Amino acid sequence: MPGKYADGVMAGNNVLCVRCQTSEATLVVRTERLCRECFMNYVASKVAKRMDTYKVRSNPKDMKRKILLSLSFGVSSVTLLHILDRQLQIQLERTSRTGYEVHVLFVDESVAYGQAASTEVFALLKERYPSYPYTVVSLARVFEFCDVSDDPEITSIGLDLESSNFPSSKGDGSERLERLLSSLPSSTSRADIIGILKSRLVVEFAKRNTCSSIVWGDSTTRLAEKTLSETAKGRGFSLPWQIADGLSPHGITFIFPMRDLLRKEIIIYSGLTTPPLTPLVTERPPSASVSASSKDTTIDDLMSQYFASVEQNYPSIVSNVVRTASRLQAPPSSRDTLTSCQICRLPVNHGADGLFGWGGDQDQMLDSLRPRATNTLPENVLCYGCARSTLGVENFRAGLRQ
């Protein structure tokens, strides 16, 4: 079957690896029979290709570029840290210097999901990779990083700061975040806003620490999930910035070094390293048992379940989703035609904001939310996706008020 992928299948006695032609093949990866060593090189080379601009020869001796690695303790981000560590070690051995520095950031989302972060696993990770600075930031600090009214360089996330429904931003912000999330209309909305707040926190941290780029551990499978889920949530316009390498609308470069690898391939790799990476991986379980009829199931959960099944036997479908979406082009930047959504901070065309800017009302009962002045742009703008996620929450609807 074209594009069929069987992980961990023994290739049979005396069957040689199709790449080195010397060692016995032990894995069938997509359509190739590979030995362990060639498979490990295959994975590492995919990442190295995406990090090509960070070779030593591309970096002046008097300038050290710093990249921020967003760590989630998922298999992809942990594996990415391992591969980057190996790459930096090789650069040091060959040239006595490296092409870049790595700062590792872990955003603790336990305040949002009610699960305590594993300090033991984090200590184990630091012990195994001691060469890098590590920072742990609670998601509740997003208000401190991204909602400082006296700093003109930091924009609001669209909340009504004077509302009595939300506590003061003083302190760690945990209570404020909990009330904000509990006010949202659905599990999908909560997961959507948590992801947005996390991304904004990572971006702001990178800027404050003079990082030139942010590297994300998203695999091909994860990018395919994001492609369909963001489209379903009404944020398909943002795909050129959300899944492609390059300068983001946030003013910092995004890189996805694992974008050419399936999640199943990364899982195999993590078990073949010496020692294995599996003790460092703590995947967060889905918000609910995945069922299309469950009210607690999110769009992200459904997409994750779907592509986990598809990548087993039809990896080409997963790759084609990402490859097709990557062809989308971002609109030309112009202050006359684009503004920024006050929540996700992604560009929105003037006149195409909110629930009514996309050519049709979603619900007749929403007529009262339509802005009166159609020829002027509201002061606070929400993209269609954020308007849907925060529908019914007055503190998020600044861009829809009359």
Side-chain angles (χ1 to χ4, degrees):
M1 187 176 295
K4 188 172 182 178
Y5 170 72
D7 64 308
V9 177
M10 298 301 295
N13 295 330
N14 302 320
V15 176
L16 298 180
C17 170
V18 298
R19 297 201 174 191
C20 67
Q21 294 293 314
T22 56
S23 300
E24 181 180 346
T26 57
L27 294 167
V28 178
V29 181
R30 306 192 190 190
T31 58
E32 289 188 317
R33 297 177 182 269
L34 302 179
C35 65
R36 175 189 178 279
E37 191 64 26
C38 286
F39 172 72
M40 302 296 277
N41 290 335
Y42 160 81
V43 173
S45 65
K46 294 289 187 181
V47 175
K49 178 182 177 182
R50 292 292 172 180
M51 296 294 293
D52 188 65
T53 57
Y54 285 90
K55 289 183 177 179
V56 174
R57 65 169 179 263
S58 302
N59 186 43
K61 291 185 177 181
D62 59 345
M63 182 183 71
K64 181 70 71 172
R65 291 175 295 181
K66 185 193 300 184
I67 65 174
L68 182 69
L69 170 58
S70 178
L71 183 73
S72 65
F73 283 101
V75 65
S76 295
S77 61
V78 171
T79 301
L80 177 57
L81 175 60
H82 174 80
I83 295 175
L84 294 181
D85 179 68
R86 290 185 66 248
Q87 185 182 65
L88 291 172
Q89 289 179 6
I90 293 173
Q91 290 181 353
L92 279 174
E93 292 173 0
R94 292 178 178 176
T95 65
S96 299
R97 66 189 185 97
T98 61
Y100 58 95
E101 295 177 344
V102 176
H103 190 127
V104 181
L105 172 67
F106 171 60
V107 177
D108 181 7
E109 302 174 56
S110 59
V111 65
Y113 292 107
Q115 299 170 335
S118 176
T119 55
E120 294 80 6
V121 175
F122 192 74
L124 185 62
L125 183 82
K126 293 172 66 177
E127 180 181 352
R128 184 160 175 180
Y129 305 103
S131 304
Y132 312 107
Y134 293 84
T135 303
V136 179
V137 179
S138 171
L139 182 63
R141 294 189 64 191
V142 66
F143 303 106
E144 174 188 336
F145 274 81
C146 304
D147 191 17
V148 184
S149 58
D150 59 354
D151 187 344
E153 297 299 322
I154 303 176
T155 54
S156 167
I157 62 171
L159 300 176
D160 183 356
L161 301 181
E162 303 301 325
S163 171
S164 59
N165 293 332
F166 293 94
S168 169
S169 59
K170 296 181 180 179
D172 63 4
S174 298
E175 183 183 357
R176 187 184 186 194
L177 180 62
E178 290 173 1
R179 292 195 182 186
L180 183 151
L181 295 176
S182 64
S183 70
L184 294 170
S186 67
S187 297
T188 293
S189 297
R190 287 188 287 274
D192 187 38
I193 295 301
I194 289 171
I196 289 171
L197 294 179
K198 178 181 177 180
S199 295
R200 292 198 57 186
L201 181 56
V202 172
V203 167
E204 190 59 37
F205 182 90
K207 290 180 178 180
R208 293 191 181 192
N209 288 271
T210 64
C211 298
S212 61
S213 304
I214 300 174
V215 290
W216 307 88
D218 296 21
S219 63
T220 300
T221 314
R222 173 60 187 137
L223 292 176
E225 295 169 8
K226 186 183 293 186
T227 297
L228 295 194
S229 64
E230 290 299 309
T231 302
K233 288 183 284 189
R235 213 174 281 113
F237 70 91
S238 68
L239 291 179
W241 303 294
Q242 295 225 48
I243 67 170
D245 294 352
L247 184 64
S248 72
H250 307 291
I252 192 168
T253 300
F254 284 1
I255 305 176
F256 301 91
M258 311 288 277
R259 65 178 298 115
D260 297 322
L261 296 165
L262 296 169
R263 181 183 287 121
K264 296 295 292 184
E265 295 169 344
I266 299 172
I267 291 174
I268 296 172
Y269 181 94
S270 68
L272 294 178
T273 59
T274 306
L277 299 175
T278 46
L280 304 176
V281 176
T282 55
E283 297 277 8
R284 185 177 61 81
S287 58
S289 56
V290 179
S291 169
S293 61
S294 173
K295 66 178 182 179
D296 292 327
T297 301
T298 69
I299 290 176
D300 295 327
D301 291 337
L302 292 174
M303 292 300 102
S304 178
Q305 180 195 46
Y306 170 72
F307 281 107
S309 174
V310 169
E311 76 166 356
Q312 293 284 350
N313 297 317
Y314 305 100
S316 59
I317 293 179
V318 183
S319 300
N320 285 339
V321 170
V322 178
R323 190 177 300 113
T324 302
S326 297
R327 295 193 182 105
L328 297 173
Q329 298 294 318
S333 298
S334 172
R335 293 184 178 180
D336 296 331
T337 60
L338 295 178
T339 188
S340 295
C341 172
Q342 290 299 297
I343 296 179
C344 67
R345 303 305 298 164
L346 293 172
V348 182
N349 282 325
H350 284 189
D353 58 290
L355 295 175
F356 309 102
W358 299 90
D361 297 353
Q362 298 295 312
D363 194 328
Q364 294 298 322
M365 67 181 293
L366 301 178
D367 285 343
S368 61
L369 299 179
R370 187 188 300 275
R372 293 178 179 175
T374 57
N375 59 342
T376 61
L377 187 68
E379 180 181 356
N380 296 311
V381 175
L382 300 183
C383 70
Y384 181 84
C386 290
R388 292 301 304 179
S389 287
T390 60
L391 181 64
V393 184
E394 185 68 22
N395 299 292
F396 277 102
R397 287 211 318 258
L400 299 176
R401 290 178 180 173
Q402 299 184 32

